[in-house]
Amino acid sequence: MIGDLKDGVTSSVGSNISKILQGSVTAQDHDGGYVPPGTLNDTACKTDTCCVWSYIAAEIYPFFQETNGTCNQWARRAIRLGFHDAAGWSKPNAAAGNDYGGADGSIALSAEEAGRQENKGLSEIISKVQEWQQKYGVGMADLIQFASNVATVTCPLGPRVRTFVGRIDSTTPAPAGLLPDVFDSADKLICLFADKTISAGQLTALVGAHSTSQQFFVDPSKAGQPQDDTPGVFDTNFYTQHRPGASKLDGVFQFQSDVLLARDTRTKGRWAEFSIFGAPLWGGGYATAYVRLSLLGVNNINNLTECSHVLPKAHTSFP
Ligand code: HEM
């Protein structure tokens, strides 16, 4: 268990999250068809915690979409931003008295953290979330995770990851050295995520976000190259195309870290399952792992509010 759930479940939302984290309840929400009770500044809207989030979703959903229905560079950046904010937490650090970092908004609230080498490529989306925060007056930590989940469901085949708000923001930069490097060994990557309470199988599910990604800084001479042949679609081609023996496609840039995880004995089984059984299996695995990731370092989980029902509808087929 993570956060305050370690000390017990004291609310229905805490109970739901605890079951999601244990895998006994689905981490995906199925389209709620939410209608806001009033306009943004109405009292009716202000008394419903999720109302403002429905207006944010209405603004950022089209912003994340290409005219052909795929998700765009802003969506990719938002997904990566959600990961980079949340991953700045580790269990050993917390046990040593440094229980900070995590999904606390610090990547957009601390210039020091935003400026780190590992966050190269995120400055434009950081400016965007800062602009949205000013406009809507919500918490930064929530906004970053909400934007990541809207971005994910904007991508065709992307899961509708259950979404919670009420995190506490922090301007303290996350401890350094907690993000993975593209040239790390599989062992280092698996240990790094284990320290965040994320298993090897869950790491395998999360790196599938590279199904939609592009690289700009690993090899700047190949800037813009995607990690599978369908960037902008949350499909499982990424897993299939990284399996040992798969032929390398022209114009696709594989990260060494992904190649190693596709082969390691602790991750290759799950990797193969996602490749064989496709988006329905992977979407569920991704959602469960992402709910955990999005709550790292959050110590008021029992007090959160679920706003999954305001997310846009999922695109379950493409084209
Ligand atoms: C083994 C762990 C991981 C490593 C080593 C890694 C590394 C990278 C690297 C090097 C890039 C390219 C940055 C650039 O050159 O522009 C990238 C992009 C990206 N990563 Fe990861 N990543 C990992 C895990 C994850 C996870 C867990 C997520 C999300 C849940 C994620 C989401 C993304 C996305 C969406 C992009 C595309 C950004 C864009 O197109 O602008 N990554 N990652």
Side-chain angles (χ1 to χ4, degrees), residues 76 80 83 180 206 209-210 213-214 216-218 255 257 286:
R76 293 191 262 282
R80 186 165 172 238
F83 165 48
L206 287 172
H210 293 161
S213 71
Q214 292 176 319
F216 294 87
F217 302 106
V218 183
F255 295 150
S257 51
Y286 181 88

Side-chain angles (χ1 to χ4, degrees), residues 9 97 125 154 164 174 178 224 228:
V9 165
I125 187 71
T154 303
F164 301 88
L178 293 178
D228 76 5

